[in-house]
Amino acid sequence: QPSLLDEKFGCFSFNESTASQSLKESYYILLDYIQTEKIKTVYFGLDYYNFLTNENSIQASQISFKRLNSPKVRLLFLKEFMTLDNACDWIFPVRLSKNNFLEIPQNINKKLTYEYRNYLPIKSDSYYYDKGYVYTDKIKGDELGSFDMIKMLDEQIQWFEKIVRLCKDNNID
């Protein structure tokens, strides 16, 4: 948590991750912050799943896009993510959530429960993500095997390398 880092190291920190955020989105979020902030250190949490797929949820991309402030970075982001096939969803983003409106009250009630807010991390033999840290040595179930059996996609490795270069070029640890 950022507040724990701030207290321990006497700094100002922030957490810029979002659910299902891709490496590509992480690059643009970091690029955006570099425009206005003097960043000293980046702690980058990774899920091996990021390296296994090029698929990206447009809803997740739109969440990342909304966090961008720089018009230049927003334009670069759109050039990377918007295609002729999904242009309407970028221009009229409400279309993406129209089917979820009925789930809002149920979702709010679930997230207000004690159990939801105070779960304990568990050790599991199955793949589990999107709810916090859980120790596992599996990726998306047994069909993909363990971490050492992964075939990472070159495009994802390249985006990770771009993030590292961006940090080095801006003297960020």
Side-chain angles (χ1 to χ4, degrees), residues 8-26:
K8 181 166 177 122
F9 298 110
C11 62
F12 173 72
S13 59
F14 42 90
N15 179 350
E16 282 304 309
S17 63
T18 61
S20 303
Q21 183 173 310
S22 69
L23 291 167
K24 193 185 311 187
E25 291 165 14
S26 297

Side-chain angles (χ1 to χ4, degrees), residues 152-167:
M152 294 188 217
L153 299 177
D154 289 338
E155 180 182 348
Q156 299 307 333
I157 293 170
Q158 290 167 5
W159 277 105
F160 182 72
E161 289 171 345
K162 282 181 81 165
I163 292 168
V164 171
R165 266 194 317 277
L166 182 63
C167 288

Side-chain angles (χ1 to χ4, degrees), residues 14-76:
F14 42 90
N15 179 350
E16 282 304 309
S17 63
T18 61
S20 303
Q21 183 173 310
S22 69
L23 291 167
K24 193 185 311 187
E25 291 165 14
S26 297
Y27 171 83
Y28 286 104
I29 288 173
L30 181 57
L31 180 63
D32 187 62
Y33 263 91
I34 288 171
Q35 311 299 309
T36 58
E37 304 292 335
K38 175 66 178 133
I39 300 173
K40 293 181 182 178
T41 306
V42 169
Y43 296 95
F44 198 83
L46 284 174
D47 182 333
Y48 273 104
Y49 190 68
N50 289 107
F51 292 98
L52 299 177
T53 181
N54 287 326
E55 292 179 22
N56 208 47
S57 155
I58 191 165
Q59 291 95 333
S61 296
Q62 287 182 337
I63 290 169
S64 295
F65 179 76
K66 288 177 185 176
R67 299 176 85 162
L68 301 175
N69 295 307
S70 164
K72 178 183 174 186
V73 176
R74 286 179 142 237
L75 182 59
L76 292 170

